[in-house]
Amino acid sequence: MMQLLARKLTLAQTKEIYDLYMGTDFPPEELKPFYMIEDMWSRNHYFAYGFYETVTTVEGAREVLRAYAYFVADYEKQVLLLDYFAVIPNTRGNGYGSAALQQLREICAGWKGIVIEVENNELAENAAVRDIRNRRIAFYARNGCHMTSTKSFVFGVDYRIMVLPIADERAEEDMAQKVTGIYRCMHNEALLKENFKITAE
């Protein structure tokens, strides 16, 4: 079984991963400018983890980044938003994503739950896009995440909301309020009024 080492990242390390990988790991409309991350970081509403594997070669042992997770933290509601989560491209399909998610249960043990936005599979423009979105949802479901009835529309992107319960098995309750609270940690009210909508069935 693989052994991943979770390390809390510095802001400089977070920026390095952002520059190296995130422009290709995420579509442009989902990738916020780094100055926004810096702003939330300075207000203690943002942090990130890297997941490393020790690889031994003839030159010795070294730690290799396999996955990363960026979070927005809402201390009032005691929930986290998994803002960005990805496995390094040349290592995907080997179980690193599942291993990292399982470690997050331990790392985030003091939080009620982790909120996850997934692109709305019900509104996919074609079958190929729907298949990609369905596989992403299935990945999170296999790793203990629950689909909620809450949906959001953020800066032109439609999302469904999933949650990974941690300290609170009822973390999916009042999800619309929790997601709204998270976005208030990110943006001012004027910007949210123009670019954020949420519904709960």
Side-chain angles (χ1 to χ4, degrees):
M1 180 179 292
M2 72 179 67
Q3 295 292 323
L4 287 184
L5 177 65
R7 292 195 181 279
K8 197 167 188 179
L9 303 176
T10 65
L11 182 61
Q13 290 169 326
T14 302
K15 177 68 161 58
E16 182 179 11
I17 291 172
Y18 180 99
D19 291 338
L20 284 174
Y21 299 109
M22 293 174 65
T24 53
D25 287 345
F26 298 93
E29 63 271 17
E30 292 185 21
L31 189 61
K32 58 177 61 67
F34 195 77
Y35 71 81
M36 292 179 63
I37 291 175
E38 287 181 302
D39 174 66
M40 288 184 284
W41 195 290
S42 71
R43 293 184 285 113
N44 201 33
H45 281 299
Y46 211 94
F47 60 88
Y49 276 89
F51 299 88
Y52 297 84
E53 184 177 36
T54 300
V55 176
T56 302
T57 67
V58 292
E59 298 174 346
R62 63 189 179 94
E63 292 182 359
V64 179
L65 181 69
R66 296 305 194 194
Y68 58 87
Y70 288 21
F71 293 97
V72 180
D74 182 353
Y75 293 92
E76 181 180 345
K77 301 287 187 183
Q78 280 295 296
V79 292
L80 298 168
L81 171 69
L82 186 56
D83 200 23
Y84 298 106
F85 177 67
V87 173
I88 301 306
N90 62 353
T91 60
R92 290 174 185 166
N94 294 298
Y96 292 112
S98 294
L101 270 182
Q102 294 310 311
Q103 285 209 15
L104 287 179
R105 287 180 177 271
E106 300 177 16
I107 293 168
C108 304
W111 297 84
K112 290 183 178 179
I114 300 174
V115 175
I116 300 160
E117 298 171 314
V118 290
E119 288 181 284
N120 195 328
N121 57 329
E122 299 169 342
L123 300 176
E125 56 266 34
N126 57 58
V129 171
R130 185 179 302 108
D131 181 62
I132 292 171
R133 295 180 182 180
N134 284 339
R135 282 189 277 118
R136 187 172 298 136
I137 290 169
F139 162 76
Y140 284 118
R142 285 196 306 274
N143 285 283
C145 303
H146 306 160
M147 182 65 74
T148 74
S149 60
T150 303
K151 300 174 183 178
S152 63
F153 180 74
V154 185
F155 293 97
V157 182
D158 286 287
Y159 295 105
R160 299 179 71 186
I161 306 299
M162 302 184 75
V163 64
L164 178 62
I166 301 179
D168 183 1
E169 285 300 321
R170 300 184 301 173
E172 63 190 74
E173 293 181 359
D174 303 317
M175 185 53 63
Q177 293 181 22
K178 289 172 180 171
V179 175
T180 301
I182 288 168
Y183 270 87
R184 283 180 174 147
C185 295
M186 290 193 271
H187 307 294
N188 61 51
E189 292 294 335
L191 196 62
L192 289 179
K193 186 176 181 180
E194 295 293 326
N195 299 283
F196 175 78
K197 296 178 182 177
I198 195 155
T199 60
E201 297 174 1

